[in-house]
Amino acid sequence: MTPALQITDLRVSLSGNTILSGINAEINAGEFVGIFGPNGAGKTTLVRCIIGTLAPTRGSIKVLGLLPSQAARRVGYMPQGHGTFDSTALSARSMVEAACEGDGWGIPWTSKKSRQEVDRVLEVTDAARYAQRPFSVLSGGERQRVMLAQALLGDPRILVLDEPLASLDPKNQGLLIECVARVKERTNTTVLFVAHDMNPLLNVMDRVMYLAGGGAALGKLDEVVTSECLTKLYGSDIEVVRTQNRVFVVSSEGGVTETECAHHDHD
Amino acid sequence: MINTLATYLSYEFVQNALIAGTLSAILGAIVGYFVIIRSAGFAAHALAHIGFAGAAGAALVGLSPLEGMLLLTVGAGVGMGAAGDKVNRSDMAIGMVLSMSLGLGTLFLKLYSGYAGQAKAILFGEIFGVSHEQIIKMAVLSVMSLGALAIFSRRLLFASIQPRLAEGRGLSLSALSMAFMAVLAISVTLASQVVGILLVFTLVIAPAGIALRLCRSFWSGIIVSVILGVIAVWIGILLDCVTGYPATFWITALFFVIYVFVESYCRFFTK
């Protein structure tokens, strides 16, 4: 069976700086992989290579056995952040409609088929009940579920989510993760989930990809997120602390590095 | 009152003004919608000023002001589109180009004749001076621009709302940006024939901005924008006939009142 994602000896340099090098990874269909790492470790760079908007300097990326640009229609992508439409009344639904068949020619007329597809994805992310309201008045959590709905258009085989949890409170983080996990279970979609904090994802991840120092480690949580493995990756002393089913990555200087000490009590 | 209006409407220069105004308003309202969504308001403003240099310089090389303006704005628009988002949204880069263009425009005017009337017509528009021939040119340009938009507006809307996503689906943001800026350049040029270069905002930004503040879907926004633009231009021209105060003043005043009303409504009643 063709792997969902195959990365071979990937190297990416941007304006002379090597961001990623010697990355190898194979991710199977239906896997939920969390992608973590410090700021500047190349998480978004890797995402851009996967969705085909950035060409690798060396090595190759195969998405569903195809070049990323050829597989674009089968990959659902949720970019980091979203535009600001603060001064407009444009509804969340209109935004999703614009994205549906947005790569076609002609005038932006939404066909009946597209409208049904938009209804479907908004239902899946539980965003239908507020989708008629302007995007600008929605809360952070509501906006992210609209963006997730957008990524689900066309029933993609792979979901690439770039920091969808950023600036969400624990409750909304939970809702979004639940939603992604549900989609994955139902349709066996491969999920690549970039996040800053791995704790909210501990229960749903199959494997972890940790980026640091230009390299990457891919494996089960217990294999990758260990003091030994991360020390090698960072090239400096790193300690992994586990307590009450939560994971913290602590640098030798004593600061908690990548995994914030956020409280995840769902109350 | 009705009789006076009927008399004015029978004059050819009033009819021409209404036709030219309607064409500019429709194009401005539709293109303006994308300008607002793309936050390219300042770029649109700058294009108009670049047009000033073009219109003033046209006489030097034997072109009509319309042709000179069209040439320079379309060229600059495509250039700005190619330069990418960083430049298009940079206040500094646009501001510098804008002031340089105005400077060049004043130089060209001096070189040509030093005649202030020419400058006034270019800057503030001369709606009642539009000739039959100009109207035909404007109609052709409007149809071309709307035709171009009809071909790529689906992609443009997607790329304007969700650029990262659109890029991921294989759309070329810079190609779309260049095509759009060319269309914007044409509509800015047409609008300036009616309201002048300084007041292009009135037809390109105001109707679309107000419509986007009120309408939740793309099509309702476009329709409201066009209706607002056309009605304001008609009222402005007719009030000019009746009162003798310039149409440009009436059009801008009308939009300002609507804007204040809509803005207060949005602030106080939709929270």
Side-chain angles (χ1 to χ4, degrees), chain B residues 35-210:
Chain B
V35 171
I36 303 276
I37 277 198
R38 298 171 70 82
S39 338
F42 195 35
H45 189 61
L47 272 182
H49 287 71
I50 291 167
F52 174 61
L60 289 176
V61 290
L63 292 172
S64 73
L66 179 67
E67 288 163 344
M69 196 172 169
L70 208 56
L71 212 64
L72 216 59
T73 49
V74 172
V78 172
M80 281 160 90
D85 247 17
K86 276 226 174 77
V87 174
N88 280 333
R89 303 219 171 121
S90 151
D91 291 348
M92 183 67 193
I94 295 177
M96 292 309 292
V97 173
L98 188 156
S99 55
M100 183 69 238
S101 311
L102 276 176
L104 272 179
T106 30
L107 172 71
F108 290 155
L109 275 181
K110 179 82 187 167
L111 287 178
Y112 176 54
S113 60
Y115 189 47
Q118 176 98 358
K120 202 178 152 229
I122 297 173
L123 290 176
F124 297 104
E126 215 175 16
I127 180 76
F128 293 112
V130 182
S131 69
H132 189 67
E133 197 181 317
Q134 264 175 306
I135 285 184
I136 291 175
K137 277 186 194 163
M138 289 174 79
V140 169
L141 287 169
S142 302
V143 170
M144 271 170 49
S145 309
L146 290 177
L149 269 185
I151 292 171
F152 71 88
S153 54
R154 184 187 282 275
R155 291 182 165 207
L156 182 66
L157 183 69
F158 182 29
S160 304
I161 295 181
Q162 296 287 334
R164 296 279 81 79
L165 212 59
E167 204 184 8
R169 277 233 236 128
L171 301 192
S172 161
L173 297 185
S174 63
L176 279 169
S177 190
M178 281 159 70
F180 174 66
M181 290 301 275
V183 171
L184 175 61
I186 294 175
S187 52
V188 159
T189 305
L190 291 195
S192 67
Q193 303 296 307
V194 178
V195 289
I197 281 157
L198 289 179
L199 295 147
V200 160
F201 255 33
T202 316
L203 291 187
V204 176
I205 303 289
I210 294 167

Side-chain angles (χ1 to χ4, degrees), chain A residues 2-25:
Chain A
T2 326
L5 179 69
Q6 183 149 35
I7 302 177
T8 319
D9 193 27
L10 178 78
R11 181 191 184 92
V12 184
S13 304
L14 291 175
S15 41
N17 296 322
T18 300
I19 312 287
L20 297 167
S21 74
I23 312 272
N24 286 289

Side-chain angles (χ1 to χ4, degrees), chain A residues 204-219:
Chain A
V204 293
M205 281 188 297
D206 296 312
R207 284 199 293 169
V208 169
M209 186 176 210
Y210 205 102
L211 301 178
L218 174 68

